Amino acid sequence: MTARHSTHDFLPEKPMNDQSNQYQQLIAKCWADEVFKHRLLDNPAETLKAEGMELPEGVSVQVVENTAQDFTLVIPSRPT
């Protein structure tokens, strides 16, 4: 089973606004660069690492793309 974590779970050293900005920049880059988007979809951990978003040991990440026919709703983990 794949562990699912929100970005705050694997970027604890960054304030929430920085995480939101980094996420928004990542999405904007996907929209502007199809090659980057496919690299992120195909190999998320390596691509995120190249973007400065290191995943802790044992954490995996899944990247999916919403389409007109498919919508992914992610329920974040409850804050502690």
Side-chain angles (χ1 to χ4, degrees), residues 17-44:
N17 284 344
D18 288 350
Q19 291 172 15
S20 294
N21 289 340
Q22 196 170 23
Y23 176 74
Q24 290 171 356
Q25 290 171 356
L26 190 69
I27 299 305
K29 189 169 183 176
C30 286
W31 289 344
D33 184 344
E34 282 289 316
V35 172
F36 175 79
K37 179 179 76 174
H38 287 287
R39 196 166 55 238
L40 182 62
L41 287 164
D42 293 340
N43 194 342

Side-chain angles (χ1 to χ4, degrees), residues 7-80:
T7 54
H8 73 274
D9 291 336
F10 60 86
L11 298 170
E13 71 283 353
K14 295 190 182 250
M16 187 58 113
N17 284 344
D18 288 350
Q19 291 172 15
S20 294
N21 289 340
Q22 196 170 23
Y23 176 74
Q24 290 171 356
Q25 290 171 356
L26 190 69
I27 299 305
K29 189 169 183 176
C30 286
W31 289 344
D33 184 344
E34 282 289 316
V35 172
F36 175 79
K37 179 179 76 174
H38 287 287
R39 196 166 55 238
L40 182 62
L41 287 164
D42 293 340
N43 194 342
E46 182 178 299
T47 306
L48 290 173
K49 184 176 180 179
E51 293 296 308
M53 301 169 81
E54 191 76 32
L55 299 174
E57 190 70 31
V59 172
S60 63
V61 64
Q62 294 177 322
V63 177
V64 296
E65 182 179 20
N66 288 335
T67 68
Q69 295 78 32
D70 296 303
F71 176 77
T72 304
L73 175 64
V74 176
I75 302 170
S77 58
R78 181 176 286 178
T80 55

